[in-house]
Amino acid sequence: MAAGGAGPFENDDALDFLDDLEEADPQERRSKVESALGRVIRAKEYIEAPTMSEAIAAAVVVAASDDPESVVGERNVPRWLDEDPLEVDERLEEFATQALYRALRADDNELWEILADEDAEERFSTRITHYLDALGA
C-alpha cells in the first residue's frame, strides 16, 4: 500500500527522498536538497507529483535544520536532523521558500490536484504555510 497524506513526509516519494538523504554522506545532503529544490524552482511547466513531493520534503528539511521546533508533531522526521542538520544560509532558505510557494500554485502541479481529489488541499496549504512561516517568509 502506498503512503499518502497532506504532510511533507507522508508520501512515498518524500519518504524515498528522505531515505536517500539518510544514506548520503552528511556533506552530500545539502547538494541533494538544493537539487530537489532547484528542479521545482526552475520548472517552467507542469510539475509532476514526485518532483514536487521531493522538493517539499527538501524545503521542510531546510526549515527543520534552521528551526527544529518547526517539525514538532510531524510524522517521519529523520533522526539525522537532530544530530547533523544542514547548515542553512540565506541562499538555501530562499530556495526552500521559492519551492514552497510554487507548491501552493494549484494551476500547474500534480500533487495539488491529487490532494484536491482527496479534499486535503486545505490541510496541505496550512502545512506549507507553517513551513513558510518557519523560514521567515
Side-chain angles (χ1 to χ4, degrees):
M1 174 181 278
F9 305 143
E10 292 181 6
N11 66 64
D12 288 338
D13 298 310
L15 293 172
D16 289 346
F17 178 73
L18 292 177
D19 286 345
D20 187 37
L21 289 178
E22 186 165 1
E23 293 169 7
D25 288 332
Q27 299 80 13
E28 295 176 337
R29 288 181 182 144
R30 182 181 170 116
S31 66
K32 289 179 177 289
V33 165
E34 286 180 354
S35 179
L37 296 170
R39 282 190 294 276
V40 165
I41 293 167
R42 290 187 305 270
K44 302 285 188 230
E45 66 282 335
Y46 187 82
I47 300 172
E48 300 293 329
T51 301
M52 185 58 76
S53 295
E54 289 179 4
I56 291 168
V60 174
V61 163
V62 172
S65 292
D66 194 43
D67 177 9
E69 296 297 312
S70 69
V71 292
V72 168
E74 196 68 67
R75 292 179 14 184
N76 305 314
V77 176
R79 288 189 190 128
W80 62 264
L81 272 172
D82 285 334
E83 301 159 6
D84 197 13
L86 298 178
E87 189 157 327
V88 178
D89 56 23
E90 286 183 31
R91 179 175 177 261
L92 189 58
E93 213 170 70
E94 179 61 27
F95 282 5
T97 298
Q98 287 179 30
L100 291 176
Y101 276 124
R102 183 73 189 264
L104 291 174
R105 288 178 37 192
D107 62 330
D108 71 347
N109 106 55
E110 182 184 33
L111 185 59
W112 186 272
E113 289 179 20
I114 291 168
L115 293 167
D117 288 345
E118 298 170 357
D119 291 326
E121 70 269 27
E122 186 175 329
R123 288 190 316 269
F124 174 73
S125 179
T126 298
R127 285 178 123 157
I128 297 296
T129 301
H130 167 77
Y131 290 107
L132 283 167
D133 290 345
L135 289 164

